[in-house]
Amino acid sequence: MATAVVPKVFKNFINGEWVESRSGRAFENRNPANHNELIGLFPAGTPEDVDLAVEAAREALKSWRQVPAPKRAEILFRAAELLVRRKEELARDMTREMGKILAETRGDVQEAIDMTYYMAGEGRRQFGQTTPSELPNKFCMTVREPVGVCGLITPWNFPMAIPSWKIMPALILGNTVVFKPATDTPLSAYHLVQILQEAGVPRGVVNLVTGSGSQVGTPLMTHKDVQLISFTGSTEVGRKVSEACAPEFKHCHLEMGGKNIILVMEDANLDLAVDGAIWGGFGTTGQRCTAASRVGVHKKVYKEFLEKFVERAKKLKVGDGLDPTTEMGPCVNESQLRTVMEYVEIGKNEGARLVAGGHRLEHGAYAKGWFHEPTIFADCDPKMRICQEEIFGPVVSVIPVDNFDHAIEVANGVPYGLSSSIYTRDLQKAFRAMRALETGIVYVNAPTIGAETHLPFGGIKHTGNGHREASVAALDFYSEWKTIYVDYSDRLQRAQIDTGSFGALKE
Ligand code: UN1
């Protein structure tokens, strides 16, 4: 068992200083694998802390936006190097505060490293367009401008990767940041901000305020001096964020729920599909917005797939993510575990057949953590709540499908549209699925998780609101295009009027 760790008192980061919250209060951060272990005390932020952070970010914007982008990039390159150097320690702390296994927290830090290097590279690639004008002696071009102060609200399931998806593009484009991390993972947020400070980010450019949604999140998203909000979390909260941003027309990016599916066709490599369903469904304890919480299986291979899938799920080793032999960690907190348990009851009451797991693990080594068995429901009707609603836990619903068209109909028959996958060896089916699946991300012969940082990330329907994170796509959200016309003719030239049309020239 982990030994007791002396609790550490952490601070907010405002205007280049580590400061206490105006509330003078703190909240606890505990290890979900062993809730006796207090990881630290973090400031319970208030609207006043948010005001101070926004004011610092507003002030810092004046000079930060003038720093040449390749110079801003140098700071990001340094931050990436520090992340590389400290990867192991950062991964261990992340496992302690949110539970996922070390291999995955290393992956989370790696995703932040990749994103930081990628966006640092964008410091020398902020290309616009140049084009001839329709008028003589006139020149046209476009340049990217920062949007302003960015409020970044992030979830606990990717405590370093997701903040990096937002902070790095914001910074390389000359914006300043107020960062509000999830209350379950403030330690990883602290590490990331501390690394940015060490890398040389000037005072006020990045500010960290920890605390609740009502005390920190809402004041941030309604603040008159914040121009942009990026939020990753539930669809329910996302709708509120969208409404809060509407009156002042803030740039608003939402990355919300998912109910992703793996489709297994009759010609699939079944062992490969089982590998994918295990990793997609139970990786991160099912707590990814990209998690494969549904599997649609062709009736011809249904029985065989289900047997193999259940056998593998039952063998998964659940435990403390710091133990290298653990394959699945705990749920992040008690309330998430309760949600999982509620959905197991819902599934049973709806008549789905429970074929693996279904119980909380609470004895022996599990007694002090929020553990749940990997759980599979079979013979599900696609309209059941367990097939429609995001559970965010280790529960997978298996749905029999009659044929390809039925599989696509089931896949698309949910309110969400983040990620989907098809296992098939038939090229025609694969390409038809790529076109027909209504999701922002489609995988062929791979599970629904595992997006890479240089490609756009995001979803459609109730998953997103039309923006994408990561890749060059992120640059469009964190910048405004400015279109510039330079007239060096030394006379008044009137667009559309002095040019006329081809027909007019002939007259
Ligand atoms: C999330 O689940 O919120 O594609 C993000 C993936 C990861 C990111 C997931 N790279 O699964």
Side-chain angles (χ1 to χ4, degrees), residues 263 404-405 407-413 420 422 428-442 460-461:
L263 296 175
F404 176 83
D405 289 336
I408 298 292
E409 189 188 314
V410 167
N412 292 341
S420 56
I422 184 163
Q428 285 183 3
K429 281 202 194 86
F431 270 85
R432 279 169 62 205
M434 288 181 228
R435 188 173 52 202
L437 287 165
E438 294 170 355
T439 51
I441 305 169
V442 174
I460 61 172
K461 302 204 275 192

Side-chain angles (χ1 to χ4, degrees), residues 100-119:
K100 65 184 174 184
I101 61 172
L102 261 181
E104 292 191 39
T105 51
R106 288 185 190 120
D108 193 308
V109 179
Q110 187 58 47
E111 202 163 333
I113 292 167
D114 296 342
M115 183 58 79
T116 308
Y117 276 126
Y118 181 88
M119 286 300 163

Side-chain angles (χ1 to χ4, degrees), residues 166-184:
K166 301 183 194 299
I167 295 174
M168 303 314 165
L171 293 184
I172 201 63
L173 288 155
N175 303 279
T176 56
V177 165
V178 178
F179 169 30
K180 182 237 173 284
T183 48
D184 284 300

Side-chain angles (χ1 to χ4, degrees), residues 111 155 157-158 161-162 165 232 255-256 287-291 392 418 441 443 448-452 457:
E111 202 163 333
N157 64 338
F158 277 83
I162 291 181
W165 296 2
T232 299
E255 189 52 55
M256 303 173 284
Q287 301 172 124
R288 290 197 192 207
C289 50
T290 49
F392 230 64
L418 181 53
I441 305 169
Y443 291 90
T448 54
I449 66 177
E452 301 176 28
F457 182 93

